[in-house]
Amino acid sequence: MSDSVIITEKSGHKGYIILNRPDAYNTFSEEFALLLNKALEDFDKDDEVRVVIVKNNGKHFSTGIDLHELEKVEDSKLLEFISLMDRHNHTIANMRTPVISSVKGYCVANGASLSFGCDMTISAESARFGTTAVNIGLICTGPGVPLSKLVSKKKAMEMILLGDQLTAQQALELGLVNWVVPDDELEAKTEEIADKLASKSPLAVAAGKIGLSATYDMGFHASIDNGSKVFAGLCKTEDAAEGIRAFFEKRKAEWKLR
């Protein structure tokens, strides 16, 4: 096994990012955050990769920021350090490639931030989610941003200010995860969803991901106009024409990324 705290692998059209600090519960260190963002950015530039899967080695997906490292950060460097811990949310939102998190064990604090920030999440039944920093005198303002886009304001306040953990089923009911499966079926379900995404038109998926992500910073009418612009641009591509032809000819489309 690699000694790197972030391992990357590629298989066909799937890129894998493996969180690899199992002895530290996959907590975020400076190196971990930097390599995570680089891996996301590198896969997004790779035209062969149509879906990215984030998963973990060890028992837990991630239990947040490494408190041992946080304690050593000088006051003058704290904003820079914390901004790095939150950078994955910017990175994922700006990517054209969809990102799936495959979660087992504890997924709390900055680990929850990573999962909430991904486009889809598959969870093992035994997983636990939470914005738990308040329990040690801190607060999950970073994880609270993607969280607040997924649940109501009152529920977000409850989670961030009380710091309780949720079962995978509770997270599913709140819309924080897409699927909950038995622990021994997590990998198979993740691969199933990734393969399904990879089979779609990469240009269409990218247009949908970027277009929808952009609406979070817009008002209602601007969002509608933006959606029209994205869709019209997609209609001009060769792959859109190929998809329509394949539909009428009852055959599988051959995507050219043009």
Side-chain angles (χ1 to χ4, degrees):
M1 185 184 297
S2 172
D3 291 332
S4 176
V5 297
I6 297 291
I7 299 172
T8 58
E9 297 174 353
K10 194 164 80 169
S11 176
H13 294 301
K14 295 176 287 189
Y16 298 85
I17 297 175
I18 304 166
L19 313 181
N20 191 41
R21 294 190 78 206
D23 293 340
Y25 305 118
N26 289 315
T27 47
F28 278 62
S29 63
E30 182 176 357
E31 178 189 25
F32 184 99
L34 285 168
L35 290 178
L36 170 63
N37 279 280
K38 184 178 187 304
L40 289 165
E41 290 167 351
D42 286 349
F43 276 139
D44 200 40
K45 296 172 185 173
D46 188 334
D47 287 339
E48 291 184 355
V49 174
R50 298 181 182 177
V51 58
V52 176
I53 299 167
V54 181
K55 59 182 185 176
N56 63 285
N57 279 332
K59 187 176 180 180
H60 301 299
F61 184 76
S62 173
T63 59
I65 295 173
D66 187 331
L67 298 178
H68 296 294
E69 186 163 314
L70 177 60
E71 279 190 311
K72 297 174 183 176
V73 180
E74 298 175 8
D75 287 355
S76 62
K77 300 285 187 179
L78 273 171
L79 180 56
E80 179 182 352
F81 178 81
I82 298 302
S83 295
L84 174 60
M85 299 299 106
D86 293 332
R87 188 179 298 169
H88 57 268
N89 285 322
H90 290 296
T91 303
I92 294 170
N94 288 329
M95 289 172 64
R96 61 187 177 86
T97 312
V99 184
I100 295 173
S101 55
S102 183
V103 175
K104 61 182 180 180
Y106 288 128
C107 179
V108 299
N110 227 50
S113 174
L114 176 57
S115 175
F116 297 161
C118 288
D119 301 299
M120 298 181 194
T121 296
I122 301 115
S123 173
E125 282 180 336
S126 64
R128 294 293 182 270
F129 297 82
T131 44
T132 54
V134 70
N135 296 324
I136 59 168
L138 300 173
I139 201 71
C140 281
T141 47
V145 175
L147 172 65
S148 67
K149 304 298 182 183
L150 301 172
V151 302
S152 70
K153 178 183 176 182
K154 288 184 183 294
K155 195 65 187 181
M157 285 292 187
E158 174 191 332
M159 290 180 63
I160 292 167
L161 301 183
L162 295 183
D164 294 335
Q165 291 184 24
L166 302 176
T167 66
Q169 185 60 37
Q170 288 172 320
L172 176 67
E173 291 168 359
L174 286 172
L176 295 171
V177 305
N178 300 83
W179 298 272
V180 174
V181 297
D183 290 22
D184 60 359
E185 296 178 16
L186 178 63
E187 183 175 354
K189 185 65 176 180
T190 302
E191 294 296 321
E192 174 195 334
I193 299 302
D195 286 336
K196 191 171 184 178
L197 270 172
S199 72
K200 309 297 183 183
S201 161
L203 293 183
V205 170
K209 183 182 182 317
I210 294 169
L212 187 59
S213 294
T215 65
Y216 291 122
D217 294 326
M218 298 178 182
F220 179 80
H221 296 290
S223 296
I224 297 295
D225 291 342
N226 180 70
S228 298
K229 181 179 179 181
V230 170
F231 189 81
L234 180 64
C235 288
K236 298 176 183 178
T237 65
E238 291 181 30
D239 276 0
E242 163 64 6
I244 293 169
R245 283 196 302 270
F247 173 78
F248 285 127
E249 295 169 9
K250 295 180 170 53
R251 60 174 174 82
K252 186 176 180 180
E254 298 180 7
W255 309 121
K256 305 296 185 183
L257 278 76
R258 297 195 295 267

